[in-house]
Amino acid sequence: MQRAVNMVARLGLCLQALPSALGRPLSCTQDVLRRTPLYDFHLANGGKMVAFAGWSLPVQYRDSHVDSHLHTRRHCSLFDVSHMLQTKIFGCDRVRLMESLVVGDIAELRPNQGTLSLFTNEAGGILDDLIVTNTSEGHLYVVSNAGCWDKDLALMQDKVRELQNMGSDVALEVVDNALLALQGPTAAQVLQAGVAEDLRKLPFMTSAVMEVFGVSGCRVTRCGYTGEDGVEISVPAAGAVCLATALLDNPEVKLAGLAARDSLRLEAGLCLYGNDIDEHTTPVEGSLSWTLGKRRRAAMDFPGAAVIVPQLKGEVQRKRVGLLCEGAPMRAHSPILSTEGTVIGTVTSGCPSPCLKKNVAMGYVPCEYSRPGTPLLVEVRRKQQMAVVSKMPFVPTNYYTLK
């Protein structure tokens, strides 16, 4: 296991995106780590298991991290993301409940349409990012981060009890399904062979329940965390190995782990909660203003609205930006400096980009330094090197939309 950890470190992966437990052999913690329904499947396929957010998950397989990353960009890869929290919100007041917690316009979602949204607190800070889908089955389907599992669940359960005590019709259920992410330009082609539905009619951020390679009761959502076309499949736990095996029968598909998932999302300019956004970051500071529903902005009826809405008019001190640089890779907590040498911000995520052959990163700087093309300095290994503010995503995204 230590060899695997060293291997990842040598590849220049942004290990700050993974918990400190990644540096410990699993024998130290395996008795308390949760396992997904695919745990034995990962071991059988050469998965190098590490501790992540309280779960035992593969950081990579027999292929190198870079090979897995590039395979996802060129073909497609299968990721086990069963550690994510999946919940269902039922009842006539389900939209009222969710809109009391998030910044998005959930009421406007069409049947089987989803949106990325944010849990916020009264200070305007981001408690977590999540995807909310308005299903045609009469409930909201919510997927949020494993690292915030306990916090998110308590937040929603407390609000359920509060509304129930007021006579509202609302209830919550934790979904114990596995969750598989098939990501890459050939993902839809691979999946189409195993479903009766026409996937050309399933655009980005929509979902449907269907049978997939003989496994019934799967919810297929056109979304992902790589910037590529792809789906996330919520599958009954008993059918997870069967489905994963069927997908891998196609030579287009290879297994990929946390290492590739992290570098792919960074190239796509996507945030990692706890690194790039947190309870001390507002949506405007995090360059996530687009998650704020127009109706919700006007009504100012979401947690932290009194802080967040004025920031939309320019009253914000710092912003999340992309950075490009040559030389040593930028890492989380690396100081960002002006060209005069004054520390002005901090890197939150960074790694070498396998596609660009350059170092990419995200970080926070004062607004006056946030314009793309602005030259800056980043301190890496106690040495200052040139960097430039860059538009994100660093690598163009390929989400599937209807023309």
Side-chain angles (χ1 to χ4, degrees):
M1 176 51 62
Q2 190 59 48
R3 180 184 176 192
V5 172
N6 291 340
M7 184 188 310
V8 177
R10 286 198 301 272
L11 287 168
L13 240 189
C14 36
L15 290 183
Q16 77 282 353
L18 305 180
S20 58
L22 180 59
R24 298 197 302 269
L26 278 185
S27 58
C28 297
T29 56
Q30 61 187 1
D31 58 329
V32 296
L33 293 177
R34 300 179 68 179
R35 296 178 177 182
T36 77
L38 292 164
Y39 176 82
D40 292 331
F41 179 83
H42 295 314
L43 294 179
N45 283 276
K48 298 176 176 65
M49 310 301 286
V50 299
F52 181 82
W55 293 77
S56 178
L57 294 170
V59 67
Q60 66 182 82
Y61 294 85
R62 296 185 180 95
D63 290 341
S64 73
H65 150 246
V66 171
D67 286 343
S68 289
H69 180 113
L70 295 176
H71 184 85
T72 308
R73 290 276 184 248
R74 297 165 181 166
H75 305 279
C76 66
S77 297
L78 184 63
F79 300 81
D80 180 9
V81 293
S82 304
H83 57 301
M84 305 287 278
L85 172 61
Q86 301 176 70
T87 52
K88 294 179 180 179
I89 310 294
F90 297 93
C92 297
D93 296 306
R94 60 189 181 276
V95 170
R96 178 187 173 195
L97 177 140
M98 191 53 58
E99 289 197 347
S100 72
L101 300 174
V102 304
V103 301
D105 192 339
I106 308 305
E108 75 171 3
L109 294 175
R110 299 184 300 274
N112 292 323
Q113 181 185 17
T115 185
L116 177 73
S117 197
L118 307 169
F119 288 129
T120 49
N121 59 29
E122 291 300 335
I126 300 171
L127 297 173
D128 198 9
D129 58 311
L130 65 154
I131 292 179
V132 183
T133 299
N134 176 30
T135 75
S136 59
E137 294 79 37
H139 64 266
L140 300 178
Y141 170 60
V142 180
V143 180
S144 55
N145 287 305
C148 299
W149 181 297
D150 293 338
K151 178 176 68 174
D152 290 353
L153 188 55
L155 181 71
M156 291 185 285
Q157 288 176 331
D158 287 348
K159 184 58 69 170
V160 166
R161 284 190 288 269
E162 177 186 327
L163 292 182
Q164 286 176 341
N165 289 337
M166 297 168 59
S168 297
D169 175 24
V170 67
L172 180 147
E173 172 190 318
V174 176
V175 181
D176 60 2
N177 283 4
L179 191 62
L180 302 180
L182 185 67
Q183 299 285 297
T186 61
Q189 168 195 323
V190 168
L191 190 64
Q192 188 64 75
V195 301
E197 289 76 0
D198 185 354
L199 296 179
R200 292 174 298 181
K201 298 178 180 179
L202 190 74
F204 182 61
M205 294 307 291
T206 63
S207 76
V209 175
M210 61 186 75
E211 181 178 292
V212 184
F213 286 101
V215 181
S216 60
C218 296
R219 176 167 291 280
V220 177
T221 304
R222 200 81 174 246
C223 67
Y225 195 47
T226 64
E228 296 295 335
D229 184 22
V231 296
E232 290 186 355
I233 308 170
S234 181
V235 52
V241 171
C242 178
L243 178 54
T245 301
L247 290 169
L248 285 173
D249 281 344
N250 191 315
E252 282 290 308
V253 184
K254 289 188 176 183
L255 289 167
L258 293 170
R261 182 171 163 84
D262 192 54
S263 54
L264 287 160
R265 70 92 190 169
L266 187 46
E267 282 188 343
L270 300 174
C271 294
L272 176 67
Y273 189 82
N275 277 54
D276 308 301
I277 51 176
D278 58 28
E279 295 184 18
H280 305 290
T281 309
T282 70
V284 181
E285 291 173 331
S287 298
L288 295 170
S289 299
W290 58 270
T291 63
L292 304 171
K294 183 178 180 180
R295 173 178 61 84
R296 307 301 306 282
R297 299 183 192 199
M300 294 185 66
D301 60 352
F302 55 85
V307 175
I308 297 168
V309 172
Q311 290 183 347
L312 294 169
K313 302 172 184 177
E315 298 175 22
V316 64
Q317 300 302 310
R318 61 176 191 146
K319 295 205 75 173
R320 177 174 63 95
V321 298
L323 296 167
L324 286 173
C325 83
E326 307 287 347
M330 297 170 282
R331 302 297 187 191
H333 312 301
S334 296
I336 303 172
L337 304 90
S338 68
T339 51
E340 290 78 30
T342 302
V343 175
I344 59 170
T346 307
V347 171
T348 56
S349 291
C351 73
S353 163
C355 291
L356 300 179
K357 311 300 182 187
K358 296 180 180 179
N359 300 313
V360 298
M362 297 181 199
Y364 284 83
V365 298
C367 281
E368 59 265 33
Y369 293 95
S370 64
R371 185 182 297 276
T374 301
L376 295 172
L377 297 171
V378 177
E379 185 177 305
V380 181
R381 299 173 187 169
R382 299 183 180 180
K383 294 182 179 180
Q384 294 179 3
Q385 57 191 46
M386 292 298 301
V388 63
V389 175
S390 171
K391 289 183 178 180
M392 293 186 287
F394 300 104
V395 173
T397 54
N398 294 298
Y399 305 126
Y400 174 72
T401 56
L402 297 179
K403 296 180 175 63

